[in-house]
Amino acid sequence: MRNPFLKVQLLIEGRNMRLPLTVIFYNAILAFMMILFMVLNSETFQDGYYYDTLSYIHQFLILSSIQLGSVFVLMPFYVSSLFLGDRENHMMEQFAMIPGVNRQFIQAKIGLVLMNNSLLFISGIPIVGLSCVYTGLSFAKMIRLGLMVLLFSFWSGAVAIFFYSVSGKQMWSFAGTLTAHLVFFIGTIVVIELLRNGSLLATRGISIPEEVSWICLLLLTLNPLASYMGYYGNITGDNELISVYCSHFGIDASGRMFSLLFFKGACLACIVTAVIFLILAVRNFKSESSL
């Protein structure tokens, strides 16, 4: 293994009780939800009620959404634990004397993030796969879910690593990570609404200029929720929600080609955004600790 930081961190993680405990609680939540769904389904069958198969699909979506949501919830805490030991032991000051250490250090951290979330996803496959028995979904949907977990792990991990790299104080790093998540998730939607309402006021409610519509669309692709809507549409076959919202600021999203390009573009935007954050983390890495 060429990256010594990754090798050392893998040894540390392998001997740490945090990872197995996380796997246990992670799967306990998924198992609880799955058992709850099974109980509800069995009671419905016993009562003889008609049960819409679409409900099974939504049950699978709930379980998969818990997996995707846990990526964003756990990421700041996990990345904080990766930096805490080195900061407390003042190892970063010593690492800074080695040429190229910033790049290798950041690569090790994002590698650990991807490995950790991949392990959590793989451990939950038996539980989520049981939900596929009810829905009749193919194994390809599970692969797509795994790719979404990796995509969001890469994006969220890169954002968290950037703030924990440029700030030596844990509190400010956590606050910066949380703020960045809110800006991308909620801030982009707020800016879209401001642009839309401002353009309508400028044209006195006649129409939204085409340039404004495309800017709004670009901002929407930066929102990770756009990638999730692509996953949602792939599972349910319904892209009406994103079509209605795009028409809200003057974009016709009813065509199949638009959906194909838009969701692929949203995933690409997540990757590019994550790469930019990682590059900035390497260039602005702060070795001094201010804990």
Side-chain angles (χ1 to χ4, degrees), residues 1 5-15 112 115:
M1 188 175 293
F5 293 104
L6 182 58
K7 182 177 181 179
V8 171
Q9 286 293 336
L10 286 176
L11 292 174
I12 294 175
E13 289 295 312
R15 299 171 182 175
L112 284 169
M115 291 179 186

Side-chain angles (χ1 to χ4, degrees), residues 36-201:
L36 181 62
F37 290 147
M38 293 176 67
V39 171
L40 293 176
N41 294 339
S42 62
E43 290 181 353
T44 302
F45 289 143
Q46 290 176 0
D47 293 337
Y49 294 138
Y50 171 74
Y51 203 77
D52 188 3
T53 55
L54 186 61
S55 299
Y56 296 128
I57 296 179
H58 284 122
Q59 291 176 6
F60 175 81
L61 279 172
I62 291 174
L63 289 176
S64 59
S65 297
I66 291 175
Q67 289 184 292
L68 296 174
S70 65
V71 172
F72 300 104
V73 174
L74 298 177
M75 191 60 65
F77 301 99
Y78 180 67
V79 174
S80 174
S81 66
L82 294 179
F83 280 83
L84 184 60
D86 293 330
R87 297 289 191 190
E88 287 184 337
N89 297 326
H90 301 283
M91 297 298 296
M92 300 313 304
E93 292 86 343
Q94 303 178 41
F95 293 154
M97 295 184 293
I98 306 174
V101 69
N102 292 357
R103 178 176 55 82
Q104 289 187 328
F105 188 82
I106 297 302
Q107 287 177 350
K109 300 307 181 186
I110 193 63
L112 284 169
V113 166
L114 295 177
M115 291 179 186
N116 179 76
N117 285 281
S118 297
L119 178 61
L120 290 178
F121 170 74
I122 292 173
S123 68
I125 285 180
I127 301 173
V128 181
L130 183 61
S131 179
C132 293
V133 176
Y134 290 97
T135 61
L137 293 174
S138 64
F139 187 71
K141 305 300 182 184
M142 291 291 296
I143 296 177
R144 185 181 179 92
L145 175 59
L147 293 176
M148 289 299 299
V149 170
L150 287 177
L151 175 65
F152 287 158
S153 299
F154 186 55
W155 183 89
S156 182
V159 173
I161 288 172
F162 167 75
F163 284 100
Y164 279 94
S165 297
V166 300
S167 175
K169 196 171 182 61
Q170 298 289 105
M171 182 183 66
W172 292 115
S173 300
F174 184 88
T177 302
L178 181 61
T179 301
H181 280 72
L182 293 176
V183 167
F184 278 95
F185 278 99
I186 302 177
T188 51
I189 297 177
V190 172
V191 174
I192 288 172
E193 292 300 317
L194 291 175
L195 289 174
R196 174 186 176 274
N197 294 333
S199 61
L200 288 176
L201 287 175

